[in-house]
Amino acid sequence: PERKYIFDDLIAEDITIALNSSGGVGKSNLVFLMCACVATGISVEPFKVGMPRKVLLVNVEDGTADLWRRFYALGQVYPQFKEKAHTLRQNLKAYPARGLVRPLMYLDQNEPKLSEDGIWMYRSMMGIRPEFAVFDTKSRLFGLDENNNDHAAQWWGLFERVITELDNGLSTMVAAHTSKQRSSQATQFSNRGAGAFIDNARLNVVLTQMDDKEAELHDVDQTDYFAMSAPKSNYTKVKS
């Protein structure tokens, strides 16, 4: 059967996505834009979406005021979202979970186990039935040894289980930080911690600061832009 996409040619249905960047590049702002696009069905370059879909955003870095401040700012830049405010409220479930949600898994005698918060996440997703879910960020939700490949694979397995059980086209994206040594490199190995975190994601998107050469090529102020690449892209037509 023909593969279906949430974001045309970029993010397919039924996959896990890793979104990596160093702090301050614009990862969270990109997450808010992507969530708004999917929830309203409004396309904003470079993202092309179809019909509105249910979206779940769990943000463990911002409080309630900051979260809605970000969405308000998004509406100022893209007024078309204001015109679909009802659709946005109807389809987007956003949780400002700073200080409220702890790691989804924990170690019990070095064995990864599902935590109470992981059980809450599982039950919430099964109840909400989102078609696009985003968790920002991994560092506050992981709870295991980030350098252990088996732990990374089992952590992703939690999201894969939800995708399989819901069977509604859900794709889940997890925002994470790149290693400081590779913060300017858009490669498959840019992530911080075990390589299995990327190996077990079907799509790896990396954000980097735009360098002088790129800014000159596009004739823009590099402080206003970042570069987005997909060094690993199963099931996508976009080239890195």
Side-chain angles (χ1 to χ4, degrees):
E2 184 178 355
R3 181 164 293 280
K4 297 179 180 179
Y5 288 85
I6 296 175
F7 293 91
D8 288 0
D9 300 337
L10 176 62
I11 295 181
E13 293 184 352
D14 296 311
I15 67 169
T16 50
I17 309 112
L19 173 64
N20 291 282
S21 82
S22 57
V25 171
K27 178 171 69 272
S28 293
N29 286 334
L30 179 66
V31 162
F32 279 78
L33 175 61
M34 295 175 75
C35 287
C37 286
V38 178
T40 60
I42 294 175
S43 297
V44 173
E45 290 293 338
F47 302 120
K48 295 181 180 180
V49 297
M51 61 181 181
R53 298 173 183 251
K54 287 186 178 181
V55 177
L56 170 65
L57 169 62
V58 178
N59 182 303
V60 294
E61 292 195 322
D62 292 326
T64 302
D66 284 330
L67 186 145
W68 296 117
R69 192 176 293 116
R70 285 179 184 268
F71 274 116
Y72 177 80
L74 191 65
Q76 298 300 106
V77 177
Y78 301 103
Q80 57 266 49
F81 289 128
K82 291 183 179 180
E83 299 170 7
K84 289 289 187 77
H86 175 73
T87 304
L88 182 65
R89 286 193 296 267
Q90 188 176 43
N91 289 332
L92 174 64
K93 303 299 182 185
Y95 290 96
R98 184 185 64 191
L100 300 176
V101 177
R102 295 163 294 182
L104 305 180
M105 300 186 76
Y106 69 99
L107 288 175
D108 181 7
Q109 296 183 353
N110 209 37
E111 286 294 321
K113 302 284 186 179
L114 196 61
S115 69
E116 291 183 3
D117 292 79
I119 294 172
W120 165 83
M121 185 280 295
Y122 169 79
R123 290 175 176 171
S124 295
M125 294 184 76
M126 297 302 292
I128 296 171
R129 300 185 61 83
E131 295 163 88
F132 184 56
V134 184
F135 293 82
D136 187 6
T137 64
K138 172 199 168 191
S139 60
R140 299 196 183 197
L141 295 169
F142 195 64
L144 306 176
D145 178 358
E146 72 171 2
N147 295 309
N148 186 301
N149 284 311
D150 182 57
H151 292 180
Q154 290 198 47
W155 195 77
W156 270 126
L158 173 60
F159 296 102
E160 292 167 346
R161 174 185 173 184
V162 175
I163 289 172
T164 300
E165 291 187 8
L166 281 179
D167 192 27
N168 67 342
L170 166 67
S171 284
T172 299
M173 184 167 72
V174 175
H177 293 102
T178 56
S179 67
K180 292 181 179 179
Q181 295 83 358
R182 297 170 179 164
S183 60
S184 62
Q185 301 173 12
T187 74
Q188 187 172 335
F189 311 103
S190 298
N191 72 291
R192 188 172 70 192
F197 181 72
I198 300 302
D199 294 342
N200 285 271
R202 298 298 87 200
L203 173 64
N204 178 30
V205 177
V206 180
L207 308 183
T208 55
Q209 293 282 5
M210 184 174 286
D211 59 31
D212 295 338
K213 185 176 181 180
E214 289 176 306
E216 183 178 355
L217 175 65
H218 297 287
D219 191 27
V220 296
D221 182 346
Q222 68 188 83
T223 60
D224 294 332
Y225 293 85
F226 55 74
M228 183 173 72
S229 304
K232 177 185 177 181
S233 53
N234 303 83
Y235 315 137
T236 179
K237 300 177 184 179
V238 174
K239 302 298 181 182
S240 175

